[in-house]
Amino acid sequence: MTFETVIGLEIHAELATKSKIYCSCSTAFGADVNTQTCPICTGMPGVLPVLNKKVVDYAITAGLAMNCEITEYGKQDRKNYFYPDLPKAYQTSQYDMPICKNGYLDVEVDGAIKRIGITRIHIEEDAGKLIHDGLRGASLVDYNRCGVPLIEIVSQPDLSSAEDVEVYLERLKMLLRYAKVAECEMSHGTMRCDVNLSVRPEGSDKLGVRTEMKNMNSLSAIVRAIEYETARHIDAIERHTEMLVQETRRWDDVKRRTFPMRNKETAADYRYFPDPNLMPIVIDDEWLEEIKAKKPVAVDEKAEEYSAVGISDKEIAMLLSNHKLMSLLDDTVALGCNPKDTASWILTDCAGILRKDGKTLNELEVTAETLSTIIKMVDSGKINRNAGKKILIAVVEENVDPVAYCKEKGLDKQFDSSAIESVIDKVISENPKAIEDYNNGKVKAAQALFGACMKELRGAGDPAVIKELLEKKLSK
């Protein structure tokens, strides 16, 4: 019998707000444990939360990017459960009135467009983080993450393979980053995924027993978990290796298998009820139009714009998934630089400089004004590309002024033809044997002289200019 896999995802993405959802505590990543907390986000008795409007703005922006209906009236609910990382013993979320619903996302898999339905997008607060100390046999809690705003994006069970999921997640990450709604750094835990999976005979419209794999934050692990869980379900049905039950399971990436955690809860288990301390969310036409006006150009239109100026598909994917780099490119181009060339400076040259120091492009701190200055110096012929890269290295590593650095190191003088001629004269006078060999018809002697000139100029001269001037000198 042939089986098909049915997959639905619940994706939790931390929003890129500077403060938490119901208080003014910072959301910055990497702070010392329990230093970004207050009585509100740690659930002290008697406190009153106040909803961060930016959270709703970002949720609506995400909904518009995923073709959702935006509700005019919503509310926030208490989702009750007991766990050490949730000090209030409930999570403020949304139950039956989410901000966004009935959307979709089109993805391309194996050359075909597949539409993935979006059931809902709702806002909620994140829980804390458990830190398991194996040496002391204890579990500790960091409450910094409590109250960090999330959107939960719930898909329809329209995915049918690990490849579908991988493409869908990458598309979703790109959209959220492009809209500047979320950073989606899975390695930081700012994007996590619950995978709901079942299998059924091919062609059947009846869903099988569903299991859920919780809080997965690695794309490669998600793919492996789906492949394992699909095989486990099929074995259970065909070979009766076990009795499938609806449950929550944990993926162990070391052992490459899932383990039961608990029976899958239902909505009744959470005892949802409206949070009495929070007012309803009323989204009127004026608010919605204000957000639509700020919404960036559709991501596909932006991709076409970049493609039209010669930027490669690989570079486009990198730019669209990192709004910081995209803004740097657009701002540099707005200052008069060529888009394709600028993309190369950012994604090749800057990336290479950072990689040498073990850094990524996310850590690039170069302004559009500085980058455009370097590019224009090269384009105008004041310096060559090699000298431009030397200046860029100094800018990235030491934050120097590019014009002052160029003058200090004499990189502009080395490009002057008179300066090059003097270097050629020096090389010729110091290499009489090479001149004799050249006059005797040995072509390699000219190459040796050219290399000596480049060495003397430390790579700053234009190779074409050096070669032309050298040939003229040798012909005399």
Side-chain angles (χ1 to χ4, degrees), residues 341 343-354 385 389 392:
D341 191 33
S344 178
W345 278 97
I346 296 171
L347 302 176
T348 301
D349 295 289
C350 289
I353 296 165
L354 291 164
R385 188 71 159 72
K389 187 168 181 180
L392 182 65

Side-chain angles (χ1 to χ4, degrees), residues 247-280:
E247 62 184 351
T248 299
R249 297 180 70 88
R250 174 180 65 85
W251 169 253
D252 188 320
D253 206 35
V254 176
K255 297 181 179 179
R256 300 293 175 92
R257 58 168 299 180
T258 60
F259 294 91
M261 289 175 64
R262 58 181 182 269
N263 289 338
K264 180 78 176 105
E265 295 93 343
T266 64
D269 295 322
Y270 291 125
R271 306 187 318 283
Y272 283 100
F273 67 88
D275 193 309
N277 292 331
L278 291 164
M279 298 292 289

Side-chain angles (χ1 to χ4, degrees), residues 48 75 141-142 153 190 255 258 268 274 313 322 417 426 444:
L48 289 175
K75 63 180 175 67
V141 190
D142 178 8
I153 304 162
T190 59
K255 297 181 179 179
T258 60
D313 290 345
N322 190 320
S417 60
K426 179 185 176 186
K444 288 186 177 180

Side-chain angles (χ1 to χ4, degrees), residues 351-359 393 397:
I353 296 165
L354 291 164
R355 193 182 305 116
K356 185 181 67 175
D357 296 328
K359 297 179 180 179
I393 291 170
E397 295 182 346

Side-chain angles (χ1 to χ4, degrees), residues 70-142:
I70 309 300
T71 57
E72 296 178 358
Y73 182 92
K75 63 180 175 67
Q76 295 165 89
D77 302 279
R78 292 188 178 183
K79 181 180 180 182
N80 297 274
Y81 64 93
F82 297 93
Y83 210 62
D85 60 5
L86 197 68
K88 297 189 299 188
Y90 67 86
Q91 178 188 36
T92 307
S93 180
Q94 290 188 292
Y95 175 45
D96 56 341
M97 292 185 178
I99 289 176
C100 314
K101 61 183 181 179
N102 301 332
Y104 65 86
L105 205 56
D106 288 335
V107 297
E108 185 176 339
V109 184
D110 293 332
I113 299 299
K114 188 168 188 176
R115 177 158 292 185
I116 311 301
I118 307 289
T119 305
R120 57 188 282 148
I121 302 175
H122 64 260
I123 61 171
E124 62 185 21
E125 60 182 339
D126 208 345
K129 182 180 180 181
L130 287 175
I131 302 169
H132 303 291
D133 188 337
L135 293 176
R136 290 189 286 180
S139 291
L140 310 175
V141 190
D142 178 8

Side-chain angles (χ1 to χ4, degrees), residues 5-72:
T5 310
V6 180
I7 303 169
L9 300 181
E10 298 169 21
I11 297 166
H12 300 82
E14 287 187 1
L15 298 176
T17 57
K18 293 182 179 179
S19 57
K20 295 186 180 181
I21 187 168
Y22 300 120
C23 66
S24 59
C25 288
S26 171
T27 60
F29 178 81
D32 290 340
V33 296
N34 294 316
T35 57
Q36 295 179 168
T37 60
C38 73
I40 294 175
C41 54
T42 53
M44 296 294 106
V47 297
L48 289 175
V50 177
L51 177 60
N52 182 346
K53 180 177 178 290
K54 202 70 174 177
V55 172
V56 183
D57 288 347
Y58 282 179
I60 294 172
T61 302
L64 292 173
M66 296 176 216
N67 309 290
C68 290
E69 299 172 15
I70 309 300
T71 57
E72 296 178 358

Side-chain angles (χ1 to χ4, degrees), residues 351-450:
I353 296 165
L354 291 164
R355 193 182 305 116
K356 185 181 67 175
D357 296 328
K359 297 179 180 179
T360 68
L361 279 168
N362 286 329
E363 299 169 85
L364 180 64
E365 297 296 337
V366 174
T367 66
E369 290 76 14
T370 299
L371 183 58
S372 68
T373 298
I374 298 172
I375 295 173
K376 287 176 181 179
M377 288 166 72
V378 174
D379 290 347
S380 67
K382 185 177 182 181
I383 59 173
N384 69 357
R385 188 71 159 72
N386 221 9
K389 187 168 181 180
K390 287 184 178 181
I391 296 170
L392 182 65
I393 291 170
V395 166
V396 172
E397 295 182 346
E398 305 170 38
N399 193 28
V400 301
D401 177 84
V403 176
Y405 184 83
C406 178
K407 288 180 179 178
E408 178 191 339
K409 300 298 181 181
L411 296 173
D412 53 344
K413 293 177 184 176
Q414 290 178 4
F415 191 62
D416 183 73
S417 60
S418 61
I420 293 174
E421 283 187 7
S422 65
V423 168
I424 293 173
D425 289 340
K426 179 185 176 186
V427 168
I428 288 175
S429 65
E430 291 177 352
N431 294 273
K433 181 67 169 62
I435 299 300
E436 183 183 344
D437 289 343
Y438 176 79
N439 291 331
N440 290 330
K442 294 183 179 179
V443 180
K444 288 186 177 180
Q447 294 175 354
L449 291 167
F450 173 76

